[in-house]
Amino acid sequence: MRKGTAMDLRIGQGIDRHPLVPGERLRLGGVEIAHDRGLSGHSDADVVLHALCDALLGAAALGDLGTHFSDTDPAHRGRDSREFLLEVMTKLKGMGLKLVNADLTIMADAPRLAPHVPAMRQVIAELCGVGPESISVKATRGEGLGPEGRGECITAWAVALLHRQEEPDG
Ligand code: MG
């Protein structure tokens, strides 16, 4: 396919889930949220950024987050997932790929996420080098059903669309 055409689009999806437990801090979409429980994982367990990274890597057919940032590597213990996203964006840039938009859905019965959505959109947009109008964050509840509804975990889904930038003439 000729590079830089309107058809040079790539789509990716990602999903992530971490246990919601006492004694951990809660960080979602790069934003610290005050709550009596938090997400447990090898890194900071930010399911929103992990799902987004997987969607971005998927769109570029670059594998998944674990391929690039192994959860058995001590170097990634407690790591800020904003750094993962920045590194993923650098990889995409190196391939001439730019984010068109991303749509993220978070399922959690508690805490209430709506007040934090604008901050998440702003943080993610800045990390991705796009405007907040290109980043959608939606929150939904498990309504008492499934592990999210029972408050055992938080799950996030992401879809991302990439566009290959036109190469300079000559
Ligand atoms: Mg994860």
Side-chain angles (χ1 to χ4, degrees):
M1 184 187 294
R2 192 164 63 88
K3 286 186 176 176
T5 65
M7 292 301 291
D8 204 359
L9 298 169
R10 305 185 63 105
I11 193 166
Q13 60 111 24
I15 178 171
D16 196 34
R17 167 184 281 171
H18 281 264
L20 190 60
V21 298
E24 295 281 352
R25 68 179 173 190
L26 181 60
R27 188 187 281 159
L28 290 173
V31 174
E32 300 282 345
I33 296 173
H35 191 47
D36 60 352
R37 288 171 294 157
L39 293 176
S40 120
H42 186 71
S43 66
D44 66 359
D46 187 330
V47 287
V48 178
L49 296 192
H50 291 188
L52 176 57
C53 284
D54 261 4
L56 294 167
L57 291 168
L62 283 177
D64 58 32
L65 199 58
T67 312
H68 297 274
F69 310 102
S70 168
D71 64 4
T72 59
D73 185 343
H76 301 317
R77 178 167 293 284
R79 208 161 152 208
D80 185 337
S81 295
R82 288 174 291 194
E83 295 175 9
F84 294 157
L85 180 54
L86 278 176
E87 287 189 38
V88 168
M89 290 308 299
T90 300
K91 290 177 198 294
L92 298 186
K93 195 175 175 188
M95 296 172 70
L97 292 166
K98 200 169 188 299
L99 178 63
V100 177
N101 74 301
D103 185 23
L104 315 174
T105 303
I106 312 165
M107 185 178 280
D109 267 35
R112 205 169 96 76
L113 296 179
H116 305 286
V117 163
M120 286 188 223
R121 292 180 64 202
Q122 189 67 44
V123 167
I124 295 168
E126 282 175 18
L127 292 168
C128 292
V130 298
E133 71 281 358
S134 298
I135 305 295
S136 160
V137 175
K138 313 192 300 295
T140 187
R141 302 163 66 95
E143 306 295 347
L145 299 171
E148 297 87 358
R150 292 191 294 269
E152 297 167 2
C153 68
I154 292 178
T155 302
W157 291 264
V159 176
L161 186 67
L162 305 182
H163 180 235
R164 194 181 302 277
Q165 292 297 96
E166 196 164 349
E167 293 183 344
D169 290 336

PDB file of all heavy atoms in Angstrom, residues 15-18 40-43 45-51 54 65 71 81 84, ligand 1:
ATOM      1  N   ILE A  15      -7.039  -4.906  26.503  1.00  0.00           N
ATOM      2  CA  ILE A  15      -7.845  -5.124  27.709  1.00  0.00           C
ATOM      3  C   ILE A  15      -6.900  -5.411  28.859  1.00  0.00           C
ATOM      4  O   ILE A  15      -5.847  -6.034  28.658  1.00  0.00           O
ATOM      5  CB  ILE A  15      -8.855  -6.282  27.505  1.00  0.00           C
ATOM      6  CG1 ILE A  15      -9.651  -6.540  28.789  1.00  0.00           C
ATOM      7  CG2 ILE A  15      -8.183  -7.558  27.034  1.00  0.00           C
ATOM      8  CD1 ILE A  15     -10.806  -7.506  28.614  1.00  0.00           C
ATOM      9  N   ASP A  16      -7.255  -4.925  30.047  1.00  0.00           N
ATOM     10  CA  ASP A  16      -6.459  -5.272  31.224  1.00  0.00           C
ATOM     11  C   ASP A  16      -7.340  -5.278  32.464  1.00  0.00           C
ATOM     12  O   ASP A  16      -8.360  -4.581  32.519  1.00  0.00           O
ATOM     13  CB  ASP A  16      -5.297  -4.288  31.414  1.00  0.00           C
ATOM     14  CG  ASP A  16      -4.251  -4.846  32.366  1.00  0.00           C
ATOM     15  OD1 ASP A  16      -4.039  -6.080  32.360  1.00  0.00           O
ATOM     16  OD2 ASP A  16      -3.647  -4.068  33.123  1.00  0.00           O
ATOM     17  N   ARG A  17      -6.939  -6.073  33.438  1.00  0.00           N
ATOM     18  CA  ARG A  17      -7.697  -6.235  34.682  1.00  0.00           C
ATOM     19  C   ARG A  17      -6.706  -6.486  35.805  1.00  0.00           C
ATOM     20  O   ARG A  17      -5.739  -7.239  35.631  1.00  0.00           O
ATOM     21  CB  ARG A  17      -8.625  -7.442  34.515  1.00  0.00           C
ATOM     22  CG  ARG A  17      -9.270  -7.951  35.795  1.00  0.00           C
ATOM     23  CD  ARG A  17     -10.079  -9.194  35.504  1.00  0.00           C
ATOM     24  NE  ARG A  17     -11.369  -8.851  34.908  1.00  0.00           N
ATOM     25  CZ  ARG A  17     -12.208  -9.761  34.397  1.00  0.00           C
ATOM     26  NH1 ARG A  17     -11.864 -11.034  34.346  1.00  0.00           N
ATOM     27  NH2 ARG A  17     -13.368  -9.388  33.909  1.00  0.00           N
ATOM     28  N   HIS A  18      -6.907  -5.792  36.928  1.00  0.00           N
ATOM     29  CA  HIS A  18      -6.074  -6.040  38.113  1.00  0.00           C
ATOM     30  C   HIS A  18      -6.964  -6.147  39.342  1.00  0.00           C
ATOM     31  O   HIS A  18      -8.028  -5.515  39.400  1.00  0.00           O
ATOM     32  CB  HIS A  18      -5.047  -4.917  38.313  1.00  0.00           C
ATOM     33  CG  HIS A  18      -3.853  -5.030  37.416  1.00  0.00           C
ATOM     34  ND1 HIS A  18      -2.677  -5.619  37.803  1.00  0.00           N
ATOM     35  CD2 HIS A  18      -3.670  -4.642  36.136  1.00  0.00           C
ATOM     36  CE1 HIS A  18      -1.807  -5.578  36.808  1.00  0.00           C
ATOM     37  NE2 HIS A  18      -2.386  -4.988  35.778  1.00  0.00           N
ATOM     38  N   SER A  40      -3.568  -3.973  42.617  1.00  0.00           N
ATOM     39  CA  SER A  40      -2.325  -4.675  42.878  1.00  0.00           C
ATOM     40  C   SER A  40      -1.759  -5.226  41.574  1.00  0.00           C
ATOM     41  O   SER A  40      -2.488  -5.707  40.704  1.00  0.00           O
ATOM     42  CB  SER A  40      -2.588  -5.766  43.918  1.00  0.00           C
ATOM     43  OG  SER A  40      -2.300  -7.018  43.427  1.00  0.00           O
ATOM     44  N   GLY A  41      -0.438  -5.130  41.430  1.00  0.00           N
ATOM     45  CA  GLY A  41       0.244  -5.623  40.229  1.00  0.00           C
ATOM     46  C   GLY A  41       1.730  -5.404  40.368  1.00  0.00           C
ATOM     47  O   GLY A  41       2.191  -4.861  41.372  1.00  0.00           O
ATOM     48  N   HIS A  42       2.474  -5.819  39.352  1.00  0.00           N
ATOM     49  CA  HIS A  42       3.931  -5.701  39.404  1.00  0.00           C
ATOM     50  C   HIS A  42       4.350  -4.234  39.282  1.00  0.00           C
ATOM     51  O   HIS A  42       5.189  -3.748  40.037  1.00  0.00           O
ATOM     52  CB  HIS A  42       4.548  -6.528  38.272  1.00  0.00           C
ATOM     53  CG  HIS A  42       6.039  -6.598  38.330  1.00  0.00           C
ATOM     54  ND1 HIS A  42       6.710  -7.311  39.292  1.00  0.00           N
ATOM     55  CD2 HIS A  42       6.994  -6.023  37.568  1.00  0.00           C
ATOM     56  CE1 HIS A  42       8.017  -7.183  39.108  1.00  0.00           C
ATOM     57  NE2 HIS A  42       8.208  -6.405  38.065  1.00  0.00           N
ATOM     58  N   SER A  43       3.729  -3.516  38.327  1.00  0.00           N
ATOM     59  CA  SER A  43       3.975  -2.081  38.167  1.00  0.00           C
ATOM     60  C   SER A  43       2.972  -1.346  39.053  1.00  0.00           C
ATOM     61  O   SER A  43       2.533  -1.879  40.061  1.00  0.00           O
ATOM     62  CB  SER A  43       3.808  -1.684  36.699  1.00  0.00           C
ATOM     63  OG  SER A  43       2.451  -1.843  36.315  1.00  0.00           O
ATOM     64  N   ALA A  45       0.016  -0.944  38.265  1.00  0.00           N
ATOM     65  CA  ALA A  45      -1.255  -1.636  37.983  1.00  0.00           C
ATOM     66  C   ALA A  45      -2.335  -0.700  37.426  1.00  0.00           C
ATOM     67  O   ALA A  45      -3.524  -0.902  37.673  1.00  0.00           O
ATOM     68  CB  ALA A  45      -1.763  -2.368  39.224  1.00  0.00           C
ATOM     69  N   ASP A  46      -1.903   0.310  36.666  1.00  0.00           N
ATOM     70  CA  ASP A  46      -2.859   1.240  36.051  1.00  0.00           C
ATOM     71  C   ASP A  46      -3.500   0.547  34.838  1.00  0.00           C
ATOM     72  O   ASP A  46      -2.963   0.558  33.729  1.00  0.00           O
ATOM     73  CB  ASP A  46      -2.122   2.517  35.628  1.00  0.00           C
ATOM     74  CG  ASP A  46      -3.064   3.614  35.145  1.00  0.00           C
ATOM     75  OD1 ASP A  46      -4.126   3.287  34.600  1.00  0.00           O
ATOM     76  OD2 ASP A  46      -2.707   4.788  35.304  1.00  0.00           O
ATOM     77  N   VAL A  47      -4.660  -0.071  35.082  1.00  0.00           N
ATOM     78  CA  VAL A  47      -5.300  -0.878  34.028  1.00  0.00           C
ATOM     79  C   VAL A  47      -5.645  -0.048  32.792  1.00  0.00           C
ATOM     80  O   VAL A  47      -5.649  -0.571  31.670  1.00  0.00           O
ATOM     81  CB  VAL A  47      -6.584  -1.579  34.526  1.00  0.00           C
ATOM     82  CG1 VAL A  47      -6.268  -2.725  35.461  1.00  0.00           C
ATOM     83  CG2 VAL A  47      -7.552  -0.601  35.169  1.00  0.00           C
ATOM     84  N   VAL A  48      -5.937   1.232  32.998  1.00  0.00           N
ATOM     85  CA  VAL A  48      -6.342   2.085  31.874  1.00  0.00           C
ATOM     86  C   VAL A  48      -5.159   2.284  30.918  1.00  0.00           C
ATOM     87  O   VAL A  48      -5.282   2.086  29.702  1.00  0.00           O
ATOM     88  CB  VAL A  48      -6.876   3.439  32.382  1.00  0.00           C
ATOM     89  CG1 VAL A  48      -7.256   4.332  31.211  1.00  0.00           C
ATOM     90  CG2 VAL A  48      -8.061   3.214  33.307  1.00  0.00           C
ATOM     91  N   LEU A  49      -4.006   2.634  31.492  1.00  0.00           N
ATOM     92  CA  LEU A  49      -2.834   2.840  30.631  1.00  0.00           C
ATOM     93  C   LEU A  49      -2.331   1.517  30.061  1.00  0.00           C
ATOM     94  O   LEU A  49      -1.829   1.480  28.928  1.00  0.00           O
ATOM     95  CB  LEU A  49      -1.719   3.566  31.397  1.00  0.00           C
ATOM     96  CG  LEU A  49      -2.046   4.985  31.857  1.00  0.00           C
ATOM     97  CD1 LEU A  49      -0.776   5.687  32.341  1.00  0.00           C
ATOM     98  CD2 LEU A  49      -2.718   5.802  30.770  1.00  0.00           C
ATOM     99  N   HIS A  50      -2.476   0.427  30.808  1.00  0.00           N
ATOM    100  CA  HIS A  50      -2.045  -0.874  30.282  1.00  0.00           C
ATOM    101  C   HIS A  50      -2.913  -1.280  29.084  1.00  0.00           C
ATOM    102  O   HIS A  50      -2.401  -1.761  28.063  1.00  0.00           O
ATOM    103  CB  HIS A  50      -2.121  -1.960  31.365  1.00  0.00           C
ATOM    104  CG  HIS A  50      -1.110  -1.776  32.454  1.00  0.00           C
ATOM    105  ND1 HIS A  50      -0.892  -2.712  33.444  1.00  0.00           N
ATOM    106  CD2 HIS A  50      -0.241  -0.763  32.708  1.00  0.00           C
ATOM    107  CE1 HIS A  50       0.070  -2.279  34.261  1.00  0.00           C
ATOM    108  NE2 HIS A  50       0.462  -1.099  33.839  1.00  0.00           N
ATOM    109  N   ALA A  51      -4.228  -1.092  29.195  1.00  0.00           N
ATOM    110  CA  ALA A  51      -5.115  -1.429  28.079  1.00  0.00           C
ATOM    111  C   ALA A  51      -4.795  -0.553  26.870  1.00  0.00           C
ATOM    112  O   ALA A  51      -4.756  -1.026  25.725  1.00  0.00           O
ATOM    113  CB  ALA A  51      -6.578  -1.258  28.498  1.00  0.00           C
ATOM    114  N   ASP A  54      -1.587  -1.689  25.183  1.00  0.00           N
ATOM    115  CA  ASP A  54      -1.829  -2.899  24.395  1.00  0.00           C
ATOM    116  C   ASP A  54      -2.557  -2.579  23.091  1.00  0.00           C
ATOM    117  O   ASP A  54      -2.283  -3.188  22.053  1.00  0.00           O
ATOM    118  CB  ASP A  54      -2.625  -3.919  25.213  1.00  0.00           C
ATOM    119  CG  ASP A  54      -1.731  -4.996  25.816  1.00  0.00           C
ATOM    120  OD1 ASP A  54      -0.497  -4.911  25.661  1.00  0.00           O
ATOM    121  OD2 ASP A  54      -2.271  -5.941  26.419  1.00  0.00           O
ATOM    122  N   LEU A  65       2.116  -5.549  25.961  1.00  0.00           N
ATOM    123  CA  LEU A  65       2.865  -4.841  26.990  1.00  0.00           C
ATOM    124  C   LEU A  65       3.913  -5.745  27.645  1.00  0.00           C
ATOM    125  O   LEU A  65       5.033  -5.326  27.908  1.00  0.00           O
ATOM    126  CB  LEU A  65       1.875  -4.314  28.042  1.00  0.00           C
ATOM    127  CG  LEU A  65       2.336  -3.195  28.957  1.00  0.00           C
ATOM    128  CD1 LEU A  65       2.760  -1.969  28.172  1.00  0.00           C
ATOM    129  CD2 LEU A  65       1.240  -2.842  29.949  1.00  0.00           C
ATOM    130  N   ASP A  71       6.716  -8.529  33.338  1.00  0.00           N
ATOM    131  CA  ASP A  71       6.306  -8.374  34.736  1.00  0.00           C
ATOM    132  C   ASP A  71       7.113  -9.277  35.668  1.00  0.00           C
ATOM    133  O   ASP A  71       6.811  -9.402  36.850  1.00  0.00           O
ATOM    134  CB  ASP A  71       4.796  -8.592  34.907  1.00  0.00           C
ATOM    135  CG  ASP A  71       4.355  -9.993  34.560  1.00  0.00           C
ATOM    136  OD1 ASP A  71       5.227 -10.839  34.250  1.00  0.00           O
ATOM    137  OD2 ASP A  71       3.142 -10.257  34.591  1.00  0.00           O
ATOM    138  N   SER A  81       3.151   3.655  35.119  1.00  0.00           N
ATOM    139  CA  SER A  81       2.747   3.219  33.780  1.00  0.00           C
ATOM    140  C   SER A  81       2.759   4.353  32.763  1.00  0.00           C
ATOM    141  O   SER A  81       2.718   4.097  31.556  1.00  0.00           O
ATOM    142  CB  SER A  81       1.368   2.568  33.831  1.00  0.00           C
ATOM    143  OG  SER A  81       1.435   1.380  34.605  1.00  0.00           O
ATOM    144  N   PHE A  84       5.566   3.672  30.633  1.00  0.00           N
ATOM    145  CA  PHE A  84       5.305   2.651  29.600  1.00  0.00           C
ATOM    146  C   PHE A  84       4.666   3.311  28.374  1.00  0.00           C
ATOM    147  O   PHE A  84       5.057   3.063  27.231  1.00  0.00           O
ATOM    148  CB  PHE A  84       4.352   1.565  30.121  1.00  0.00           C
ATOM    149  CG  PHE A  84       4.895   0.702  31.231  1.00  0.00           C
ATOM    150  CD1 PHE A  84       4.025   0.040  32.070  1.00  0.00           C
ATOM    151  CD2 PHE A  84       6.250   0.521  31.407  1.00  0.00           C
ATOM    152  CE1 PHE A  84       4.495  -0.781  33.091  1.00  0.00           C
ATOM    153  CE2 PHE A  84       6.743  -0.296  32.427  1.00  0.00           C
ATOM    154  CZ  PHE A  84       5.854  -0.937  33.268  1.00  0.00           C
TER     155      PHE A  84
HETATM  156 MG    MG B   1      -1.703  -4.763  33.651  1.00  0.00          MG
END
